[in-house]
Amino acid sequence: MITVSMLAKIRRMHFRDGVPLRDIARQTGLSRNTIRRWLKRYEGATLRPGIALLLPAFEYGEAFQFDWSCEYVFIGGLRRRVEVAHLKLAASRAFWLVAYPTQSHEMLIDAHARAFVALGGIPRRGIYE
């Protein structure tokens, strides 16, 4: 099963960066057929060069988006799993990432607090995936 974040990465690599399917398959570990199938399934939602994309307009300070992802990093030569909190402002697309060992309420609150300080304020509403 492909995740939303993996689909976004594949779409970015293929449509924005022009990376060939063979290279995407090598970098992601997915087969070219799987990549083709997912790009075709979501072709109405994909970004293509030369096509205008209509995005919802947000006022500054109106909203933010929040989500978690699982990533792997090397710490002291050992491969470790970390949970990364993603907070992105809807209007400017400015973002803040913070990595934690696990997802918990304390870390959720800490991620929000750090992001709001770094980004300069608290938007009126949050959008959670």
Side-chain angles (χ1 to χ4, degrees):
M1 184 89 186
I2 194 166
T3 65
V4 173
S5 61
M6 179 63 79
L7 178 61
K9 179 179 179 178
I10 290 169
R11 289 172 40 194
R12 226 180 1 260
M13 291 170 74
H14 183 70
F15 293 116
R16 186 189 70 189
D17 301 335
V19 177
L21 292 182
R22 180 182 312 163
D23 294 341
I24 295 172
R26 189 176 63 244
Q27 291 177 29
T28 62
L30 299 170
S31 73
R32 285 182 283 185
N33 289 337
T34 299
I35 294 168
R36 274 191 205 97
R37 186 173 64 245
W38 280 91
L39 288 173
K40 184 175 176 138
R41 179 179 283 181
Y42 291 99
E43 68 183 330
T46 55
L47 302 176
R48 293 188 182 144
I51 295 179
L53 180 65
L54 299 176
L55 295 174
F58 290 95
E59 293 179 19
Y60 286 101
E62 179 183 350
F64 68 90
Q65 296 172 303
F66 183 88
D67 201 2
W68 289 97
S69 71
C70 168
E71 306 296 336
Y72 291 89
V73 296
F74 285 92
I75 301 172
L78 299 173
R79 186 172 186 245
R80 300 283 185 195
R81 176 183 168 148
V82 294
E83 301 293 331
V84 179
H86 303 251
L87 192 137
K88 185 182 293 187
L89 298 179
S92 68
R93 308 307 288 166
F95 63 93
W96 186 258
L97 305 174
V98 185
Y100 297 97
T102 61
Q103 291 183 27
S104 70
H105 285 102
E106 293 84 3
M107 293 171 194
L108 175 76
I109 293 166
D110 182 70
H112 281 73
R114 288 174 186 264
F116 295 149
V117 167
L119 296 172
I122 302 173
R124 290 187 294 273
R125 67 185 176 110
I127 301 166
Y128 295 86
E129 301 257 344

